Amino acid sequence: MSASKQGESNLVVLAALAANLGIAVAKFIAAGISGSSSMLTEGFHSVIDSLNQILLLYGQKRGKQPPDEEHPFGYGRELYFWAFVVAILIFAAGAGISVYEGYEHFIHPEELTNPTLNYVVLGVAFVLEGSSWFIAMREFNVTRGSVGWWQSIRESKDPAGFIILFEDSAALAGLIIAATGIWASHYFADPRLDGIASIAIGLVLALVAIFLAREAKGLLIGEGADAAVVAKVRMIVDRYPDITTVNHVRTIHTAPQRIFVAISADFRDTLPMGEAETLIEQIEAELKAAEPMLSSIYIRPEKAEDAPRLNVEATEGAPIGDR
């Protein structure tokens, strides 16, 4: 990852971490005084979010380690592993604790006291979470450019940015639900409503966790580069007269900003071996200059009729083998 993009990603995570640490303490104090189930749930939510941000920072640090004998392509995909762990934590700890606490409060309701304190804490938390959400959204909009919001998330190879964005969005939704539950409990004199609000927060977290786990799984098992990168690689290689056919261009992200590419090309039959080696070096140099994310390039001379192909086609008509 480039220094500027790494710094932007760290800024998003650090902003979220700072907000959640302070909010968690305030929520637990308010929950202890008022006896609110949804406020207690929100406290656990903030603690889990803080742990998640620490794990993402750890994953980013581990991912910057240089390649070695055991990991010749580097440690970049370790970030994807920790992103998957974060999704599991949100589901198991965040959603699980919220639903359990809400159920217990519904079965054994306790009258809420001092609602004003809860509203003050929720208001401050909303401002802090909103600031973190604004930073995450601003950086996300910069990276996505003109690409659609949903498409950018699905195609993103840097999970830290969109995980924080979804965590902050879930946190803001949770604060609104908690405030509604506390208000309804006092207005209708029914403390069970506060427990229902806690369960609702858990369901929101569960949905976010399922989505994040799906996205992190795709990155963890390996996703190809964007179609535009593949097309650029194919165009550059195909431009050389001594290349008669570009059989396939197969890519995989080894880190958010690092791509491994394997190219199968049919060379002119009369091309001497020495000239073929020189040609491959020229192609590799041009590819790296044109696309700095190409960290590892392998070009294999292979006759077109012998090159294996995949029948399934990806979006926009490109073979999946070319992704």
Side-chain angles (χ1 to χ4, degrees), residues 52 83-84 86-88 90 153 159 162-167 205-218:
N52 290 341
F84 190 73
V86 164
I88 294 174
I90 294 174
I153 291 175
F162 67 76
I163 284 179
I164 296 301
L165 180 60
F166 271 80
E167 275 191 347
L205 292 176
L207 291 175
V208 170
I210 290 171
F211 171 79
L212 293 180
R214 180 180 176 182
E215 293 301 308
K217 183 199 74 171

Side-chain angles (χ1 to χ4, degrees), residues 106-222:
F106 184 84
I107 299 299
H108 307 289
E110 297 179 7
E111 184 178 355
L112 304 185
T113 61
N114 198 353
T116 302
L117 175 62
N118 286 329
Y119 294 141
V120 170
V121 171
L122 288 173
V124 173
F126 195 89
V127 171
L128 294 177
E129 291 283 8
S131 300
S132 175
W133 181 89
F134 177 80
I135 294 173
M137 178 60 76
R138 183 189 63 188
E139 299 302 334
F140 180 75
N141 285 334
V142 169
T143 57
R144 75 182 179 91
S146 59
V147 180
W149 195 84
W150 181 252
Q151 180 183 355
S152 180
I153 291 175
R154 296 303 305 272
E155 294 179 355
S156 174
K157 303 302 186 291
D158 184 3
F162 67 76
I163 284 179
I164 296 301
L165 180 60
F166 271 80
E167 275 191 347
D168 287 345
S169 299
L172 291 174
L175 291 171
I176 294 173
I177 295 172
T180 302
I182 293 171
W183 172 84
S185 295
H186 284 278
Y187 186 82
F188 295 104
D190 187 354
R192 294 179 303 173
L193 297 176
D194 187 51
I196 293 176
S198 182
I199 293 174
I201 293 171
L203 294 178
V204 170
L205 292 176
L207 291 175
V208 170
I210 290 171
F211 171 79
L212 293 180
R214 180 180 176 182
E215 293 301 308
K217 183 199 74 171
L219 294 169
L220 190 60
I221 64 178

Side-chain angles (χ1 to χ4, degrees), residues 18-47:
N20 280 306
L21 287 174
I23 292 170
V25 175
K27 286 177 179 177
F28 281 129
I29 294 174
I33 295 175
S34 67
S36 170
S37 172
S38 58
M39 183 62 76
L40 181 62
T41 291
E42 278 296 301
F44 284 119
H45 182 182
S46 294
V47 169

